Amino acid sequence: MRPRTQPPVYDRRTLPRKGPQRPLYDLLYRLLRWIGSHVQGFYRAVGVFLIIGLAVVLLAAVGFATLAERVMAGDTLHMDESILRLMERMGSPFMDNIALEVTALGARVVVWMVVLIASVFLWSSRHHYSAALLWVSMLGAGFVNAALKVSFNRPRPDVFPWRTTHVGLASFPSGHAMTSVVVYGTLAFLIARLAPTPLLKRLTWLLAILVILLIGWSRLYLGVHYPSDVLAGFVMGAAWAVICGLGIEAVRYFRTRRPMVAVEEKDLDTKGPVAPPNPA
């Protein structure tokens, strides 16, 4: 009887290192292997990955904000005020109503309702970790944004009278801009994973980007943020959204430590490197 042969073991080191994304994947898997060799358990390993990601985002946020604060008194402030003057000239009752409706898409109540509804759908369709990562992205973004606002305490612009009475904490960075990138960007990532066709994936991302940009524009039009506030919110939100999106990769990498992962999370890619069941 012919002996059965074992299937070939996947080793990513045998793959050709091509494309600009390869160094990023190398860095990601080095980090995952380091966590896997030092941390036991599935939840602890994924949690450590997200905590490290949050620390990286905070460091990037502090560096970006420090640079923005130094530039703010020079060319940046002049550019900020010039753009806001343009927004002032665009003013009309019709545009006021549009901006107020659009900016509501980034308000706390609306965003939390979107997250809640999306979480119910993801959980009921057996995407438990996707639902959890959506909440992690939202809560983490709120923490980072509040910490930066308190730290830098940049006053709101007074270039022209605000077109809304609902404003929150300090100006830098924009909470609406950061939250919109995190929530709608993470949702687009999760929904695009489930889209059956490439066209639907592209439309999902296009709609998310359009909503995000319109929310950023609304904050400028209403006069409650400088352009640099919105830009900072976009950058920080994108950084945290990427970390949370990579959380799915961490779930896939450490899935051998929890056999129920395949039951709790559909559509996990079964190719690629995985961590050993226990740290070596």
Side-chain angles (χ1 to χ4, degrees):
M1 186 174 179
R2 194 172 184 177
R4 296 177 62 184
T5 58
Q6 296 293 329
V9 178
Y10 180 91
D11 188 353
R12 65 184 293 272
R13 291 173 296 180
T14 63
L15 292 177
R17 296 174 178 265
K18 296 180 179 179
Q21 74 278 11
R22 178 58 58 185
L24 299 178
Y25 277 106
D26 287 344
L27 182 61
L28 170 65
Y29 284 115
R30 285 195 191 100
L31 175 60
L32 291 173
R33 283 196 295 269
W34 181 86
I35 294 173
S37 64
H38 290 82
V39 180
Q40 295 184 357
F42 172 79
Y43 290 114
R44 288 183 180 179
V46 175
V48 167
F49 174 82
L50 292 175
I51 290 173
I52 292 175
L54 178 61
V56 171
V57 171
L58 280 173
L59 288 175
V62 171
F64 184 88
T66 301
L67 177 61
E69 188 178 57
R70 291 178 178 178
V71 177
M72 187 173 59
D75 295 338
T76 302
L77 185 59
H78 175 73
M79 180 191 68
D80 283 343
E81 292 184 347
S82 298
I83 294 176
L84 288 181
R85 290 296 182 192
L86 175 63
M87 295 293 128
E88 182 183 18
R89 292 193 293 270
M90 291 174 57
S92 70
F94 175 73
M95 293 296 292
D96 291 356
N97 291 331
I98 291 179
L100 290 171
E101 294 293 336
V102 170
T103 205
L105 295 175
R108 288 192 187 96
V109 174
V110 174
V111 167
W112 281 112
M113 288 300 298
V114 169
V115 170
L116 182 60
I117 293 171
S119 300
V120 171
F121 166 76
L122 290 170
W123 192 271
S124 62
S125 61
R126 217 180 78 198
H127 293 88
H128 298 176
Y129 292 100
S130 295
L133 285 170
L134 182 59
W135 282 91
V136 169
S137 67
M138 178 64 182
L139 295 173
F143 171 75
V144 172
N145 188 260
L148 288 175
K149 283 181 178 290
V150 171
S151 298
F152 293 93
N153 197 30
R154 185 184 190 183
R156 298 270 179 175
D158 58 355
V159 177
F160 60 88
W162 298 343
R163 295 177 173 128
T164 179
T165 57
H166 302 286
V167 293
L169 299 174
S171 187
F172 184 93
S174 168
H176 277 66
M178 184 171 180
T179 301
S180 66
V181 171
V182 169
V183 173
Y184 296 115
T186 303
L187 270 177
F189 168 76
L190 296 174
I191 294 173
R193 289 177 63 237
L194 310 179
T197 64
L199 176 60
L200 193 54
K201 291 181 180 181
R202 288 192 289 268
L203 289 176
T204 299
W205 277 110
L206 182 62
L207 179 60
I209 292 171
L210 179 62
V211 170
I212 290 168
L213 292 178
L214 285 175
I215 290 174
W217 163 81
S218 71
R219 304 310 287 169
L220 302 180
Y221 178 85
L222 296 174
V224 295
H225 277 295
Y226 292 107
S228 54
D229 300 334
V230 174
L231 177 61
F234 283 164
V235 171
M236 292 301 103
W240 181 234
V242 168
I243 293 296
C244 291
L246 291 177
I248 289 292
E249 185 65 20
V251 169
R252 190 201 60 75
Y253 183 81
F254 294 113
R255 68 181 183 272
T256 55
R257 297 186 178 184
R258 180 175 169 79
M260 288 295 292
V261 168
V263 177
E264 297 167 339
E265 183 71 16
K266 289 177 62 178
D267 307 316
L268 277 180
D269 181 15
T270 57
K271 298 179 181 180
V274 294
N278 296 296

